[in-house]
Amino acid sequence: MGDDYLRIREKENAKEWQIKEDAGVQKGIVHNYFTQYIDEDQTSESGAEDASPSPAPNLSNSRTLFLTRKPVSNVFPKKPIIRPAWKPGSKQLITLALKRDNAAKTAYRNKEEPSRLYDMKAPLREIEPNHSKIYRSFEEIGVRFGSFVLPPRDLRNSKIAIWGDSKQVQLTIDELESWRDRSDGSSAGGPSGSSRSQGKDHFAKIASTTGLVYAKENAKAARLAQRLKFQKKPANGRKFNSNGYFLWPNDEIRATDLFGPNCEALDSLRMEFKAYVLFEEARSIFKVHSDKEDSHVNKVLQRIENTIKEYVARDHRPTLLFTVEAPNRYNYQHEVQVIPGPAFGLNRTQSRIPTFLKKKPEPRGHEFWENLYFNWCERNERTMYRAVHDVLDRIPYYRGSIRMSVNYGIFGLTKYYWPPGTSSVAQADFAKKIQLSNTRGTLVRDLQLGGSPKNILSYCHQARDVFENVDPHAKNLADAMPSYRAMFYLRHPEKIADVLELEVSFKPNEAEPGKFEASKAVWRRCGKPDILSQAPPLEMFSIRLHSGISWELKISTENALDATRITPQMDLFVRNIQFKKPPSNQNPALSGYRVVTRPSNLRILGFEQKTSFRWSLKLQPQFIFELSRNDEYNGENPWLPSSTQWAATLHDREWDRKLGVNETLGVGQEADWDPQINHFFEPMATISNDSVAGFHDFLLHTRSVGTFLDELKLASDKPATRANGVQQDGQ
């Protein structure tokens, strides 16, 4: 704050407190604060005494009446109290007893530094176009909370200065945020405007519109009229160039339940092809009429048929597959038992973890275990291939966000068949019984790494025989920059019983190295999936009994909230989430220091911060391996985690590119990618024409990553080096 700027603001502010010697201090104050009431009162009285009556132009022999406002002498005295005028050099100044003056304003006059510079996140003239209302609102906020708010000279700026103690400043900031959210260019006097001005703004006004706004409103009205026109039955006797009909299976699914009473969900088809789309429930038939060529009508009929395929694909029973990885050919342990596992989900369901029971090796030769291993692997691969092939054939008709990835963690059974009276079963019997239709299980995404974060990351940085950097400019694996995600669990502001999940991703700020900015925010419902999306289309588990770290291939549809159901309070919550740069002595990857702010306008049930590192596989770089540290903050220190879990995922870049097309699909549209399985799982050898080769290579990659995680789990409790990686670098 420069001295010149403070002097200019001091001169503007001094006009309010200018004291006249002939009227005294009290008169100047009364005149300034209640000027609108006194001026109106004096105007009405002077008008009654001095104004001469003028004859009415349209009336003859009529008596002219003057209606004057009732004087307000009972509220404000007509004659202000005269007190000795202030003289230069005397110590009699305006006292702090006046509500419009306070210690914060005195600090501003004494040219003290402001207590806080607050950013309103938007230029003030965009928040409130009326400049006088801005100054009046800020002044009244200061009077209410005992602070002083100084707007910038240029209202195109967004930073304001606040004077006061810590409590006054915080209350002022809360009120300013509320004023910003309520102001839309038509608010009267901000959050605490006078009742008179607020009352005026409640009356209807005729607002002038520019030509551009007028044209937009006309176009919007024309589109609405055209949409309603295509919903109604055309006039009797109207002839069209082309007509089409489609028989709808109304007994299986009612068209009005899927599309609305007037099939409003098909309005995009009506507007795109300029066609009448009507549904006759008595005959269960869709009728399409258009003045365009036949190809337009055929496209509309095809899109209506595709909506049935989309419904069938969503209503199809999700594919749930459990397989047991082939036993280690060098390990003769073959008995399986279940031990208590962690509870998960909103209902805290208890799980059971299958594991090996140590027994003496059987007297069988090495050839027996070789054949058993290869036959087992071939059977699992064939079963998985069939399941993935069937699901990929259905999902081209899904509309929305679809994601396919491989997740690693601890597998737990929640519902399964176990022979009564037995504590363990043979591994072959367990692999058969787990494929029964009533089996249920889940993957807890926790690698259960017990070592220090420094040892864990150091071990990954030395895995140069498995990974390479995603960024081609980075030289070492340790140069990989972390990415951050924040997971909030909240109560719905309007429906308290509903629990929401908010995921906010952050990307690096190119202008400020070391700082991140929010890039994407997704709201989801917890425990209440969409009607047409009851469960993920595919969950395929591979249980690794000899390791403890299993994996699953999951194709999931995002259960995101519609944009129309996001309330202003939820929008405000997202805007207030900021990235806070950690102190120089804190490394979030090692200490879990919280770098994401937690707004307070909604009730937070839980909060997680995910710090992720990404590398690509050396043998097939399109596969991205992500190791993430998931921290929860429920302890006494709000900036350090109370618990930490490590998770790992593997996904293909091409999966994201192809499946991302489904987010932009319209009603009845089909994704343009080929659902053949070899287009999703490409083989490492390009000369191979076998469609199974790519899927076979994919399974090899998942096993190699699982083997690396096994080594990481064993070596995380102590500093370790990878001999293979070091040896390769030395070659």
Side-chain angles (χ1 to χ4, degrees):
M1 307 293 291
D3 294 341
D4 296 338
Y5 175 62
L6 290 176
R7 281 198 296 271
I8 292 172
R9 301 299 296 170
E10 179 66 23
K11 289 180 181 180
E12 295 177 359
N13 188 70
K15 295 178 182 179
E16 177 189 353
W17 305 104
Q18 186 176 0
I19 303 172
K20 300 179 181 180
E21 295 184 2
D22 56 344
V25 177
Q26 188 68 19
K27 184 183 181 218
I29 295 170
V30 173
H31 177 76
N32 283 326
Y33 187 72
F34 303 109
T35 179
Q36 55 177 336
Y37 300 100
I38 294 178
D39 290 346
E40 291 175 1
D41 183 54
Q42 291 176 352
T43 302
S44 61
E45 291 181 0
S46 60
E49 295 175 359
D50 301 335
S52 58
S54 57
N58 299 327
L59 299 176
S60 59
N61 299 328
S62 60
R63 182 181 179 184
T64 302
L65 300 178
F66 295 92
L67 300 178
T68 61
R69 185 175 297 179
K70 185 178 180 180
V72 292
S73 57
N74 58 336
V75 180
F76 307 113
K78 293 182 178 180
K79 295 182 179 181
I81 301 175
I82 305 299
R83 294 184 177 177
W86 174 77
K87 296 180 180 181
S90 64
K91 296 183 179 180
Q92 183 181 0
L93 298 176
I94 301 174
T95 63
L96 295 178
L98 301 172
K99 290 185 178 181
R100 296 176 67 81
D101 202 355
N102 50 39
K105 204 166 189 178
T106 302
Y108 156 71
R109 289 200 183 100
N110 293 338
K111 300 183 180 180
E112 296 181 8
E113 290 295 326
S115 305
R116 178 80 176 273
L117 287 175
Y118 180 68
D119 191 354
M120 294 291 290
K121 304 293 189 286
L124 292 180
R125 69 178 187 178
E126 294 183 6
I127 298 176
E128 174 56 74
N130 192 330
H131 296 178
S132 62
K133 289 182 179 180
I134 294 177
Y135 292 106
R136 186 166 68 246
S137 301
F138 284 7
E139 184 180 12
E140 291 172 357
I141 290 174
V143 170
R144 289 173 59 191
F145 300 107
S147 59
F148 180 68
V149 185
L150 181 67
R153 291 184 62 187
D154 189 352
L155 295 181
R156 289 176 295 184
N157 297 333
S158 60
K159 290 188 177 181
I160 59 176
I162 305 174
W163 281 262
D165 58 26
S166 59
K167 182 177 180 181
Q168 293 169 348
V169 169
Q170 187 58 45
L171 292 174
T172 302
I173 290 176
D174 294 342
E175 185 64 22
L176 287 172
E177 291 178 351
S178 178
W179 171 78
R180 178 190 61 195
D181 299 332
R182 295 198 304 265
S183 297
D184 57 356
S186 61
S187 59
S192 57
S194 63
S195 58
R196 180 187 295 269
S197 60
Q198 290 180 1
K200 290 179 181 178
D201 282 350
H202 280 83
F203 287 98
K205 293 182 176 64
I206 300 176
S208 62
T209 58
T210 62
L212 181 60
V213 175
Y214 183 74
K216 288 183 178 179
E217 292 296 329
N218 276 351
K220 183 179 178 180
R223 288 194 300 269
L224 177 61
Q226 192 175 29
R227 187 164 62 249
L228 296 177
K229 168 190 171 183
F230 289 138
Q231 289 181 5
K232 296 180 180 179
K233 184 179 180 181
N236 292 332
R238 171 77 185 277
K239 294 184 179 180
F240 297 94
N241 291 338
S242 55
N243 301 278
Y245 303 89
F246 181 79
L247 186 63
W248 181 265
N250 212 39
D251 294 338
E252 299 180 13
I253 175 172
R254 295 173 58 88
T256 54
D257 294 341
L258 191 62
F259 302 121
N262 294 321
C263 295
E264 293 85 357
L266 301 179
D267 283 345
S268 59
L269 296 180
R270 296 182 174 112
M271 300 298 292
E272 181 180 353
F273 297 100
K274 308 299 180 187
Y276 289 85
V277 181
L278 309 171
F279 180 69
E280 188 176 333
E281 193 165 3
R283 294 192 295 173
S284 183
I285 193 173
F286 270 101
K287 297 188 292 184
V288 181
H289 310 293
S290 176
D291 291 326
K292 305 290 183 178
E293 54 271 15
D294 292 342
S295 60
H296 283 66
V297 174
N298 292 335
K299 290 179 181 178
V300 174
L301 295 176
Q302 182 63 44
R303 297 272 288 271
I304 294 176
E305 182 182 359
N306 287 347
T307 59
I308 298 180
K309 297 179 181 178
E310 179 187 1
Y311 174 80
V312 172
R314 290 181 177 272
D315 194 54
H316 195 278
R317 183 177 180 180
T319 301
L320 192 62
L321 180 64
F322 300 94
T323 61
V324 178
E325 190 170 298
N328 193 336
R329 65 186 93 176
Y330 304 111
N331 194 339
Y332 299 156
Q333 300 166 348
H334 67 285
E335 290 290 321
V336 180
Q337 65 176 353
V338 291
I339 60 176
F344 69 96
L346 296 177
N347 299 328
R348 308 304 297 168
T349 305
Q350 188 68 33
S351 63
R352 293 280 179 173
I353 299 177
T355 182
F356 267 133
L357 178 65
K358 292 186 180 295
K359 294 187 68 175
K360 294 180 180 180
E362 291 188 358
R364 296 189 183 183
H366 180 73
E367 184 179 355
F368 169 80
W369 294 105
E370 278 295 321
N371 295 333
L372 177 63
Y373 177 80
F374 285 110
N375 292 336
W376 200 308
C377 290
E378 184 181 358
R379 185 171 59 253
N380 283 348
E381 183 176 332
R382 189 167 52 249
T383 305
M384 292 179 177
Y385 181 90
R386 241 186 344 256
V388 176
H389 180 273
D390 294 343
V391 173
L392 289 179
D393 263 347
R394 297 196 305 265
I395 61 176
Y397 299 98
Y398 270 83
R399 285 187 298 132
S401 177
I402 303 177
R403 180 172 175 80
M404 181 162 65
S405 62
V406 178
N407 304 321
Y408 291 88
I410 306 301
F411 176 78
L413 288 166
T414 58
K415 186 178 180 181
Y416 56 95
Y417 172 78
W418 194 264
T422 57
S423 59
S424 63
V425 295
Q427 184 177 358
D429 295 338
F430 177 78
K432 292 179 181 178
K433 290 181 172 56
I434 203 174
Q435 294 183 4
L436 297 176
S437 59
N438 61 344
T439 303
R440 294 293 180 270
T442 187
L443 189 79
V444 181
R445 297 185 59 184
D446 181 13
L447 300 178
Q448 296 185 353
L449 302 181
S452 66
K454 185 176 181 180
N455 293 344
I456 294 172
L457 294 178
S458 176
Y459 194 84
C460 294
H461 295 161
Q462 299 174 25
R464 291 180 288 270
D465 57 332
V466 182
F467 306 125
E468 63 182 14
N469 282 309
V470 177
D471 185 3
H473 301 289
K475 296 182 179 179
N476 301 318
L477 296 180
D479 297 336
M481 291 295 295
S483 61
Y484 298 96
R485 281 178 293 172
M487 305 290 295
F488 294 90
Y489 299 93
L490 310 156
R491 291 285 184 189
H492 196 286
E494 296 179 355
K495 300 179 180 179
I496 305 299
D498 291 353
V499 179
L500 302 178
E501 177 187 84
L502 171 64
E503 180 179 355
V504 183
S505 303
F506 293 85
K507 65 178 181 180
N509 190 343
E510 298 179 357
E512 300 182 32
K515 191 174 182 180
F516 295 76
E517 57 185 9
S519 60
K520 184 180 180 182
V522 180
W523 289 92
R524 305 185 185 93
R525 290 183 293 266
C526 294
K528 188 177 285 188
D530 190 10
I531 297 176
L532 292 180
S533 180
Q534 297 295 335
L538 173 67
E539 285 185 290
M540 186 173 67
F541 299 90
S542 179
I543 307 170
R544 305 174 71 237
L545 295 173
H546 61 277
S547 164
I549 296 181
S550 304
W551 60 269
E552 67 164 339
L553 176 63
K554 187 174 183 179
I555 300 179
S556 58
T557 55
E558 200 166 71
N559 190 25
L561 276 181
D562 189 76
T564 57
R565 300 188 179 184
I566 298 177
T567 64
Q569 291 175 288
M570 297 162 66
D571 258 339
L572 174 62
F573 187 89
V574 174
R575 289 201 307 268
N576 290 340
I577 298 174
Q578 301 294 331
F579 181 87
K580 181 179 177 62
K581 192 172 182 179
S584 58
N585 61 344
Q586 292 287 348
N587 186 352
L590 300 180
S591 63
Y593 187 84
R594 181 165 65 87
V595 295
V596 180
T597 60
R598 297 191 298 184
S600 57
N601 63 313
L602 290 180
R603 182 185 175 189
I604 300 177
L605 301 179
F607 170 73
E608 294 181 12
Q609 177 178 290
K610 297 186 177 182
T611 307
S612 303
F613 296 88
R614 302 169 74 237
W615 299 283
S616 59
L617 295 187
K618 193 168 186 177
L619 294 179
Q620 216 161 0
Q622 73 266 22
F623 279 97
I624 304 298
F625 172 76
E626 181 177 310
L627 182 70
S628 61
R629 170 184 176 140
N630 306 331
D631 296 311
E632 292 187 5
Y633 303 84
N634 298 323
E636 298 179 357
N637 191 337
W639 295 101
L640 293 178
S642 57
S643 62
T644 301
Q645 293 181 351
W646 291 86
T649 60
L650 181 70
H651 73 279
D652 193 337
R653 295 177 180 178
E654 286 298 307
W655 297 349
D656 296 339
R657 186 186 64 82
K658 293 177 181 178
L659 298 178
V661 177
N662 292 59
E663 295 188 35
T664 60
L665 294 180
V667 176
Q669 284 184 332
E670 179 184 0
D672 57 357
W673 45 264
D674 193 341
Q676 294 298 322
I677 195 169
N678 57 339
H679 290 277
F680 281 84
F681 303 94
E682 297 181 358
M684 289 186 290
T686 55
I687 59 175
S688 175
N689 295 323
D690 188 4
S691 61
V692 186
F695 191 75
H696 176 75
D697 292 343
F698 159 73
L699 294 179
L700 291 180
H701 296 321
T702 58
R703 293 193 190 106
S704 65
V705 173
T707 303
F708 167 77
L709 293 176
D710 292 340
E711 299 173 0
L712 176 63
K713 187 174 182 180
L714 294 175
S716 61
D717 56 349
K718 59 181 181 302
T721 58
R722 289 181 53 84
N724 294 337
V726 175
Q727 185 179 1
Q728 270 198 348
D729 289 347
Q731 288 179 351

